[in-house]
Amino acid sequence: MDSLALGADLEPEPVVDEHSTVTLHVNGEPTTLTVDHRTTVLETLRESFGLTGAKKGCDHGQCGACTVLVDGRRVNSCLLLAVAQDGATITTVEGLADGGSLHPVQRAFVERDALQCGFCTPGQICSAVGMLREAADGHPSHVTRPDPAATRPEAAATRSEAAATGPVALDADEIRERMSGNLCRCGAYPRIVEAIEDVIE
């Protein structure tokens, strides 16, 4: 029997339009809104809050243009569903400044001219803020050298545990590795690294 004929009398399933109410703390302001379950944090920030700093670049979490901070951690907002972030604290590039004073990373990017077209800059800045916190908290990267004292057998069992004994010193290699998830098609990478080094000093 023809396989197409088998399904001929089946009716398509109805499209279910699911929505939920969530509270998001965006740049210090709690807001309760109803979101479609398919809506990403990026779409919510841009369309519901009018915050257009985070950009939709690749929409696959590969370019970093959409990077924001969620509960202090850097994330690709194009991959996060807003409905799953109920109660989360979200900081965008617009929320980093303190009143009229730029965040130190924002100021360093301006002073070092660490941008060209500016499309990736908000994501670069949010990623830099997040990675500085990660390093301060002792989170190792792929290039972090373990503490020699912690590599003895009686010390930590894994490289991650060995490296996470305190803040990670950030040199140019560490910065490049930690920022590698944020692409800049203009090639402003040398100035981006210099701007982040300025903040560390």
Side-chain angles (χ1 to χ4, degrees):
M1 178 173 262
D2 185 72
S3 60
L4 293 177
L6 286 175
D9 54 333
L10 294 178
E11 302 228 358
E13 291 185 29
V15 175
V16 180
D17 189 18
E18 294 287 339
H19 288 77
S20 291
T21 301
V22 297
T23 299
L24 302 175
H25 303 266
V26 179
N27 296 332
E29 296 291 326
T31 302
T32 300
L33 67 160
T34 301
V35 296
D36 184 297
H37 288 185
R38 301 165 294 179
T39 304
T40 64
V41 169
L42 175 63
E43 293 162 341
T44 302
L45 291 172
R46 294 180 63 83
E47 296 167 15
S48 298
F49 289 89
L51 298 170
T52 57
K55 304 292 192 288
K56 184 180 276 195
C58 67
D59 209 25
H60 294 292
Q62 296 177 351
C63 73
C66 67
T67 304
V68 298
L69 303 171
V70 174
D71 295 330
R73 303 284 313 258
R74 57 187 172 153
V75 298
N76 292 321
S77 62
C78 73
L79 298 180
L80 292 181
L81 294 176
V83 71
Q85 303 307 312
D86 188 23
T89 299
I90 301 172
T91 305
T92 68
V93 71
E94 294 93 341
L96 290 175
D98 184 15
S101 301
L102 292 177
H103 185 280
V105 174
Q106 290 173 310
R107 190 169 39 259
F109 268 64
V110 171
E111 290 171 358
R112 282 288 185 173
D113 196 25
L115 58 121
Q116 287 187 32
C117 79
F119 186 84
C120 73
T121 306
Q124 297 275 1
I125 289 172
C126 283
S127 189
V129 170
M131 81 86 165
L132 288 169
R133 185 172 297 129
E134 291 165 13
D137 290 344
H139 296 287
S141 76
H142 181 69
V143 300
T144 303
R145 293 188 186 101
D147 179 357
T151 57
R152 293 190 303 265
E154 65 274 7
T158 68
R159 182 173 183 222
S160 295
E161 291 170 356
T165 57
V168 176
L170 293 173
D171 58 14
D173 287 338
E174 276 283 350
I175 293 169
R176 281 191 289 272
E177 172 64 25
R178 290 170 183 269
M179 293 295 292
S180 64
N182 291 79
L183 305 180
C184 173
R185 291 181 63 175
C186 300
Y189 298 116
R191 294 291 178 94
I192 291 170
V193 172
E194 290 169 2
I196 295 169
E197 287 175 326
D198 288 351
V199 175
I200 296 166
E201 294 170 358

